[in-house]
Amino acid sequence: MKAIFYENHGGPEVLQYGELPEPEVRPGSVKIDVKAMSVNHIDCFLRGGLERVTIPFPHIPGCDAAGVVVEVGRGVSDHKPGDRVLLNPCVNCGHCEFCLRGDASLCTRFQLIGETTSGTSCERIVVPGRNAIPIPDDMTFEDAASIPLVFVTAWRMLITRGRLRPGEDILILGASAGVGIACIQIAKVTGARVIAAASTDEKLAVCRELGADELINYKQEDFTRRVRELTNKRGVDVVVDYIGNDTWVKSLKSLVRGGRLVTCGATTGFDPKTDLRYIFFRQLEVIGSTTGSHNELMAPFKLICDGKMRPVVGETYPLADMASAHVSMEARRAIGKIVVRVSA
Ligand SMILES: [Zn+2]
C-alpha cells in the first residue's frame, strides 16, 4: 500500500512516500480503506523526536482518519464492509481503575493511534472495531477526518475538566487552530461568552463566523489588558492556553479570582516561567487535560451531525505532499484543520 513514513527523526524532509506492507485484520478489529486523514501538532512533535516516547521505525504518522470498512475481524458484529466511518484515535484497555470510572484518557495502557502505534497516513489501517464510528452519508471524508482529535480534546478540556457553564466568560488563545475552532463552538453551544485571540485579522474573521463574541489580535494588542477592558476589570472565568511559554503568565493574569486555566498542550514550549503568587492569592486552578473518552468524542460528534457545530478544513494536500502539510502545521499558518487526501 502507499504510505507516508519515516525511518529516523528530523524535519519534514525525513517523510518518505512509498510502499509498505498492508496490515492484516485481527480478531476484534476492522480494516479501513483510508480516504482522508488530518494532521495534528503531535505528528510534527513525534517526527522531531520526543524525549520519553520511543517509536518503532518505519513509523507511519497520523492520528485522525476517515474511510470505508473493507474487512471485519472475528467477533466484530457492529460493522460491515462498505460502512463509512471516522476513527476515534484513543485506544484504552477498558478494565483498569481509570477506564472503569470513565476516564479512558487516564488509562494506564492508553495508546493514541499514530503515536506508539502505526498511524493513518496510508491506504489501509487496522483498528479495534469500537474505534470505528459511522458517519452520515452526507458528511465528506475530509470533514470527518478533521473531527476526532481536536473535538474530543476540546470537549474533555472545556466541559469535563474545565466545568464550563452558561454565562461564563472564556478566553481562547490560538482560537483559529484545530483545537481552537472546536473550543469556540463548544463554548458557544454551552452558552458562554467567547473571547477569541489569534495572530491575524484573517484568522479572527473565521473565529467571528464560528460565533466568537469578542476578538483580540494579540500581535497588535496586549491580550491581558484587552480582557480586563472587555470584562470591566473582572477577568475571565476560563482561559484555554495550549500555547505555553509565550502566553502562560499573561493567561494567569487574565483570570478572575478563582478562575480556571485549562491546557492540553504547549506549542511554543513546555517550561514557561510562572508566577505562583497569582495562583495562590487569587486561588486559581490550573487544569491539565488530554484527549478523551468515547463519550467525550460522541458528544461533539452528535452536535456536528445535528448541524449545531461544524468541522473547519483550512487546507488540503495530496498524500504524496505530506511534507508541505507538516511545514504548514509548524508555521501555524492554517485556519482550521489541515487535511490530507489519501485515496480517491
Ligand atoms: Zn484502562
Side-chain angles (χ1 to χ4, degrees):
M1 64 173 182
K2 288 273 188 295
I4 292 289
F5 59 92
Y6 51 91
E7 296 178 295
N8 49 282
H9 293 295
E13 71 282 356
V14 302
L15 296 170
Q16 302 177 49
Y17 177 59
E19 291 283 336
L20 283 182
E22 189 173 319
E24 297 294 325
V25 75
R26 297 180 296 268
S29 67
V30 293
K31 188 188 285 194
I32 310 288
D33 180 16
V34 180
K35 298 295 186 187
M37 61 83 64
S38 75
V39 179
N40 293 285
H41 279 293
I42 182 144
D43 301 0
C44 301
F45 294 148
L46 285 166
R47 192 205 65 230
L50 289 174
E51 253 173 57
R52 278 171 302 172
V53 184
T54 309
I55 51 181
F57 294 130
H59 181 69
I60 301 175
C63 310
D64 283 327
V68 176
V69 173
V70 286
E71 199 180 337
V72 300
R74 204 157 20 89
V76 176
S77 55
D78 46 356
H79 291 293
K80 60 179 188 316
D83 286 354
R84 303 170 83 248
V85 295
L86 60 71
L87 299 193
N88 173 3
C90 308
V91 180
N92 62 303
C93 79
H95 45 76
C96 73
E97 170 191 352
F98 305 99
C99 284
L100 289 173
R101 75 178 199 204
D103 281 322
S105 63
L106 290 174
C107 175
T108 52
R109 270 163 285 180
F110 183 85
Q111 287 191 309
L112 189 66
I113 290 173
E115 186 180 24
T116 48
T117 69
S118 208
T120 57
S121 40
C122 54
E123 291 178 313
R124 298 289 166 94
I125 187 169
V126 171
V127 300
R130 65 170 187 257
N131 284 70
I133 297 167
I135 59 172
D137 291 342
D138 61 353
M139 182 179 279
T140 66
F141 292 116
E142 286 81 5
D143 278 352
S146 79
I147 293 171
L149 192 56
V150 292
F151 276 93
V152 72
T153 299
W155 189 272
R156 178 168 175 80
M157 177 166 61
L158 294 195
I159 305 300
T160 311
R161 302 281 295 144
R163 312 184 307 277
L164 185 67
R165 290 185 292 268
E168 288 194 318
D169 288 342
I170 180 170
L171 168 66
I172 299 169
L173 302 177
S176 68
V179 174
I181 56 103
C183 285
I184 290 174
Q185 297 186 83
I186 291 168
K188 285 310 295 177
V189 166
T190 304
R193 181 171 71 133
V194 172
I195 303 173
S199 58
T200 70
D201 289 344
E202 189 195 359
K203 290 178 173 179
L204 288 168
V206 173
C207 299
R208 173 75 84 194
E209 271 174 47
L210 292 172
D213 300 281
E214 304 289 348
L215 308 174
I216 302 176
N217 181 328
Y218 58 71
K219 292 277 187 216
Q220 287 173 4
E221 54 186 343
D222 181 288
F223 73 80
T224 304
R225 190 179 309 149
R226 184 75 186 120
V227 162
R228 283 176 61 76
E229 285 169 17
L230 290 169
T231 58
N232 295 319
K233 298 186 181 163
R234 176 183 177 272
V236 292
D237 301 280
V238 176
V239 175
V240 175
D241 184 342
Y242 56 89
I243 312 291
N245 282 3
D246 290 355
T247 51
W248 192 256
V249 172
K250 292 171 71 164
S251 290
L252 292 173
K253 289 180 177 174
S254 302
L255 283 167
V256 67
R257 291 159 179 272
R260 288 102 73 202
L261 190 161
V262 292
T263 179
C264 66
T267 54
T268 61
F270 56 78
D271 53 356
K273 178 179 172 298
T274 193
D275 188 334
L276 295 175
R277 292 170 303 177
Y278 280 94
I279 296 177
F280 58 76
F281 277 130
R282 298 176 69 84
Q283 302 188 46
L284 306 179
E285 288 180 64
V286 174
I287 301 173
S289 194
T290 186
T291 65
S293 66
H294 179 81
N295 288 347
E296 287 161 335
L297 173 58
M298 292 313 286
F301 180 60
K302 181 170 188 311
L303 288 164
I304 291 169
C305 293
D306 290 348
K308 305 234 168 33
M309 305 196 296
R310 64 180 172 91
V312 179
V313 175
E315 297 178 358
T316 55
Y317 296 86
L319 183 62
D321 201 15
M322 181 65 77
S324 298
H326 276 218
V327 167
S328 174
M329 176 55 83
E330 289 183 328
R332 293 194 281 159
R333 200 169 58 208
I335 300 176
K337 290 284 292 175
I338 298 170
V339 166
V340 171
R341 288 199 194 94
V342 176
S343 66

